[in-house]
């Protein structure tokens, strides 16, 4: 079984490739029921947010308490740059649920974070270079997981000052920069197409008000799928994202749901 969460599609691409290569079932963390879960080998695939786990992933992992720990557990963390100590947070969270973690890998993919000055999407050249590298790395990951091997420190991309990022910057980021209340829609640009609502993995956006504009509920994990999917560039996060790039979103909700 491979549990995945993906906002814009990077992690979903990895989860889908692993599923095909290993013959393992895919399950969307936001929708799966854990009843009767008894697989021997379990993988987790999700993006790194602020050098840690997305909220929705933390919430899912807490639900594992009480589920019998599998023989082999692995994780693939996708990131745009580096993961800090996300692997340590993941291991601790799993431990609390009585689960181990035998192998953990990180893969550098398209960057999707654009909400602060200095952060933008990758150029086409950078994106292509990353894709070439992660595809090669993924083949190696598949080999290790297939044989239920262990990972090493070389399988991770902690970046510079990983402890500072995860233990100091991350809490600040979560406190001040993760809030659906900062999403804004440019009314003149919005085409009321509903793509933002449709792509939201948490079904947190509604267009059912009289103005037919998107409204965000409180159940947001900050994946930015709503921002990236808007072809009119009408969705913004405060004023930070007005001139930022967008990535093409692969909608994991429409493709494969719960098995
Ligand atoms: C809110 C947010 C925070 C992010 N934080 C990080 C980070 O700390 N380090 C990093 O390398 N990439 C970061 N990224 C980039 C994503 O981890 C990366 O692009 C990931 O592959 C996206 O996966 P997805 O397409 O499956 O959602 C962040 C993206 C978002 C939306």
């Amino acid at each position: 079984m491979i549990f995945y969460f993906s906002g814009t599609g990077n992690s979903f691409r990895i989860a889908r490739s692993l599923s095909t290569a290993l013959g393992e079932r895919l399950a969307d963390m936001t929708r799966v029921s854990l009843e009767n879960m008894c697989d021997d080998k379990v993988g987790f695939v999700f993006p790194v947010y602020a050098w840690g786990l997305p909220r929705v992933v933390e919430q899912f992992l807490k639900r594992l308490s009480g589920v019998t720990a599998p023989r082999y557990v692995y994780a693939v963390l996708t990131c745009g740059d580096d993961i800090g100590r996300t692997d340590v947070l993941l291991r601790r969270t799993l431990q609390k649920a009585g689960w181990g973690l035998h192998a953990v890998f990180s893969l550098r993919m398209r960057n999707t974070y654009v909400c602060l000055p200095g952060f933008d999407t990758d150029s086409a050249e950078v994106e292509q270079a990353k894709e070439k590298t992660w595809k090669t790395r993924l083949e190696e990951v598949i080999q290790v997981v297939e044989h239920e091997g262990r990972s090493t420190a070389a399988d991770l991309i902690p970046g510079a000052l990983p402890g500072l990022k995860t233990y100091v910057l991350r809490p600040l980021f979560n406190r001040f920069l993760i809030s659906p209340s900062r999403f804004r829609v440019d009314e003149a640009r919005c085409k009321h197409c509903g793509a933002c609502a449709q792509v939201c993995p948490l079904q947190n956006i509604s267009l059912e008000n009289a103005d037919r504009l998107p409204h965000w509920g409180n159940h947001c994990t900050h994946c930015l799928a709503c921002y990236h999917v808007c072809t009119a560039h009408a969705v913004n996060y405060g004023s930070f994202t007005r001139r930022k790039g967008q990535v093409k979103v692969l909608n994991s909700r429409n493709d494969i749901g719960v098995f």
Side-chain angles (χ1 to χ4, degrees), residues 6-11 47-48 50-51 78-82 110 112-113 222:
S6 184
T8 43
N10 289 356
S11 311
V48 168
W51 305 288
T78 75
C79 64
D81 197 12
D82 52 52
R110 301 178 308 178
T112 55
Y113 187 70
H222 206 83

Side-chain angles (χ1 to χ4, degrees), residues 62-154:
K62 283 187 188 145
R63 289 173 51 204
L64 295 176
S65 301
V67 178
T68 311
R71 186 184 62 229
Y72 182 72
V73 181
Y74 66 97
V76 182
L77 318 176
T78 75
C79 64
D81 197 12
D82 52 52
I83 68 162
R85 297 281 183 232
T86 307
D87 56 310
V88 177
L89 297 184
L90 173 64
R91 194 176 294 280
R92 275 191 208 149
T93 311
L94 285 170
Q95 250 163 15
K96 280 189 195 149
W99 283 41
L101 180 63
H102 303 93
V104 53
F105 311 87
S106 62
L107 298 178
R108 194 178 270 151
M109 301 182 76
R110 301 178 308 178
N111 179 46
T112 55
Y113 187 70
V114 290
C115 297
L116 280 176
F119 290 82
D120 207 341
T121 49
D122 298 320
S123 65
E125 295 76 47
V126 170
E127 198 175 310
Q128 270 168 22
K130 280 182 173 178
E131 180 149 343
K132 207 170 157 217
T133 309
W134 71 249
K135 282 190 168 163
T136 310
R137 285 284 301 128
L138 182 59
E139 290 304 315
E140 294 161 5
V141 170
I142 289 167
Q143 288 303 313
V144 176
V145 171
E146 199 165 18
H147 298 101
E148 302 195 0
R150 305 273 170 162
S151 56
T152 68

